[in-house]
């Protein structure tokens, strides 16, 4: 497969996953805004959501006031924001259009029809759109597209590049969602174990559609240690860091077998997987959850860079 084609498939998958995460963060912010604070009013965590996306500065420059209406516009519809749902799905569709012959008809139809629906939402009067409806629409659209990939695409190298793009992006996004909860949202370490801490953990599970997985996997009350295990180390939960790393290792192994050539990308990815297999929740909390997540995101980005250098840059590995 040409590196140019592989690059388009890889980034198409990453943008679809990124659109879904932006919607999940928007939903977390909207639900948190309904929680009461200590002064009897309501919490305003919108700045924390923007910090998690690394988008606070450009938002303030353009919109000034961090109210919900502005945040919704910025994170969902704003074409100037590269990580908005609109920008991500537009970029995914453009990548798909360029390599349309590498996609099945149902896969292309799922991407194209979702983008046309998004354009209709963009033209709808804003007072008729609820943020929860926008988030649910995004999740349904992204899951429809991935369902078309999984049920119709040949398991060839193109499918592997889509899988690598999806799982690298998902691993990064899961780490950011955990980080926004524990490091950014909680106002002080004095709140650890408090009612606020517990309600935010429950919201995090909701935002990742993980409540039922949690109940099936763990007994008793919701605790930080159990949720950290589910979202970081539990290989059976499809959004956990370990599951994502394991999936991209399998796709890289398939590529190495198809091309009969092992690569540095395989080595870097498998080293990260081995470290996650040997990690425990106690180790993670002893290091510091934020410090662990920051280190993980750096290593995950290293895998992405190595994949780019080995397969997508058009240069010999």
């Amino acid at each position: 497969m040409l590196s140019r084609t592989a690059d388009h498939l890889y980034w198409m998958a990453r943008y679809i996953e990124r659109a879904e995460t932006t919607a999940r963060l928007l939903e977390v912010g909207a639900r948190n805004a309904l929680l009461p604070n200590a002064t009897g009013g309501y919490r305003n965590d919108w700045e924390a959501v923007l910090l998690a996306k690394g988008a606070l500065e450009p938002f303030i420059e353009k919109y000034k006031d961090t109210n919900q209406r502005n945040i919704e516009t910025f994170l969902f519809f704003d074409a100037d924001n590269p990580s908005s749902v609109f920008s991500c799905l537009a970029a995914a569709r453009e990548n798909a259009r360029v390599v349309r012959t590498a996609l099945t008809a149902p896969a292309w139809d799922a991407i194209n029809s979702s983008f046309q629906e998004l354009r209709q939402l963009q033209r709808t009067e804003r007072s008729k759109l609820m943020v929860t409806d926008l988030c649910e629409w995004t999740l349904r659209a992204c899951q429809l597209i991935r369902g078309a990939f999984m049920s119709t695409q040949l398991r060839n190298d193109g499918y592997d590049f889509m899988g690598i793009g999806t799982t690298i992006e998902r691993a990064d996004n899961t780490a950011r969602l955990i980080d926004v909860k524990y490091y950014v949202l909680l106002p002080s370490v004095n709140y650890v174990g408090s009612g606020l801490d517990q309600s935010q953990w429950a919201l995090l599970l909701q935002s990742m559609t993980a409540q039922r997985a949690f109940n099936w996997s763990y007994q008793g009350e919701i605790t930080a240690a159990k949720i950290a295990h589910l979202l970081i180390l539990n290989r059976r939960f499809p959004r956990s860091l370990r599951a994502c790393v394991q999936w991209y290792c399998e796709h890289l192994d398939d590529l190495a077998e198809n091309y009969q050539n092992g690569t540095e990308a395989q080595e870097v990815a498998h080293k990260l997987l081995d470290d996650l297999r040997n990690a425990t929740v106690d180790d993670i909390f002893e290091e510091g959850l934020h410090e662990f997540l920051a280190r993980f995101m750096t290593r995950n980005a290293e895998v992405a860079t190595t994949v780019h250098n080995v397969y997508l840059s058009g240069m010999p590995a």
Side-chain angles (χ1 to χ4, degrees):
M1 171 172 281
L2 292 174
S3 60
R4 186 171 62 247
T5 302
D7 189 54
H8 283 297
L9 292 171
Y10 170 85
W11 277 105
M12 174 194 69
R14 287 199 70 161
Y15 281 124
I16 292 167
E17 189 68 27
R18 192 171 298 178
E20 182 173 335
T21 300
T22 298
R24 288 180 185 277
L25 267 171
L26 185 56
E27 188 172 26
V28 168
R31 289 180 183 275
N32 260 307
L34 298 176
L35 292 176
N37 64 23
T39 63
Y42 290 92
R43 294 174 55 78
N44 184 352
D45 297 315
W46 289 115
E47 288 193 10
V49 172
L50 292 172
L51 279 171
K53 292 292 293 180
L56 180 59
E57 190 174 332
F59 173 86
I60 295 294
E61 187 176 328
K62 184 169 183 178
Y63 292 89
K64 308 285 189 300
D65 187 12
T66 53
N67 61 52
Q68 180 162 335
R69 177 65 177 266
N70 287 345
I71 300 276
E72 286 174 22
T73 302
F74 182 69
L75 291 182
F76 200 89
F77 291 110
D78 196 332
D80 293 332
N81 173 13
S83 61
S84 72
V85 171
F86 181 87
S87 294
C88 289
L89 288 182
R93 180 185 177 276
E94 180 58 20
N95 276 282
R97 186 192 63 76
V98 173
V99 291
R100 190 170 166 179
T101 54
L103 298 172
T104 62
W108 164 252
D109 286 345
I111 295 174
N112 192 43
S113 60
S114 295
F115 184 69
Q116 299 311 322
E117 288 178 19
L118 181 59
R119 296 295 297 268
Q120 289 181 356
L121 285 174
Q122 194 182 31
R123 291 191 287 266
T124 303
E125 186 181 330
R126 289 295 306 280
S127 62
K128 296 179 179 176
L129 297 173
M130 301 290 291
V131 63
T132 51
D133 294 336
L134 293 175
C135 296
E136 287 174 8
W137 176 86
T138 307
L139 266 58
R140 278 200 307 275
C142 293
Q143 289 160 5
L144 173 70
I145 294 168
R146 280 197 294 269
F149 292 161
M150 294 189 67
S151 56
T152 65
Q153 287 286 143
L154 183 68
R155 268 44 175 176
N156 58 5
D157 46 359
Y159 184 80
D160 287 321
F161 284 115
M162 286 190 280
I164 293 167
T166 297
T167 45
I168 284 179
E169 184 71 27
R170 182 176 296 179
D172 181 77
N173 293 335
T174 293
R176 289 181 189 279
L177 280 166
I178 303 170
D179 206 29
V180 75
K181 152 66 190 89
Y182 209 81
Y183 184 71
V184 182
L185 285 182
L186 206 63
S188 162
V189 293
N190 296 327
Y191 284 84
V192 173
S194 68
L196 175 62
D197 191 26
Q198 294 297 318
S199 64
Q200 287 184 346
W201 279 122
L203 278 179
L204 181 66
L205 286 179
Q206 280 185 324
S207 73
M208 301 180 78
T209 324
Q211 309 98 307
R212 191 153 293 184
F214 181 88
N215 292 333
W216 283 338
S217 303
Y218 305 91
Q219 303 294 320
E221 65 179 7
I222 296 175
T223 66
K226 290 176 185 174
I227 293 179
H229 187 270
L230 176 72
L231 301 182
I232 296 173
L233 300 177
N234 192 327
R235 65 180 176 79
R236 296 182 299 176
F237 180 58
R239 306 193 73 83
S240 77
L241 302 186
R242 179 174 166 183
C244 293
V245 174
Q246 187 162 318
W247 281 351
Y248 63 62
C249 281
E250 291 171 3
H251 284 296
L252 287 166
D253 291 344
D254 286 344
L255 285 177
E257 183 176 344
N258 287 338
Y259 295 155
Q260 298 184 334
N261 181 26
T263 67
E264 184 187 353
Q266 251 185 313
E267 295 173 16
V268 175
H270 275 280
K271 179 69 173 62
L272 179 54
L273 179 60
D274 288 342
D275 290 346
L276 285 174
R277 281 174 174 155
N278 294 323
T280 67
V281 172
D282 288 342
D283 294 337
I284 293 169
F285 281 179
E286 185 175 345
E287 178 181 353
L289 186 56
H290 172 68
E291 288 73 15
F292 172 85
L293 293 171
R295 191 164 58 83
F296 173 84
M297 284 187 273
T298 299
R299 296 184 67 183
N300 191 57
E302 182 188 359
V303 173
T305 301
T306 310
V307 167
H308 174 81
N309 293 339
V310 170
Y311 291 113
L312 309 178
S313 66
M315 301 294 290

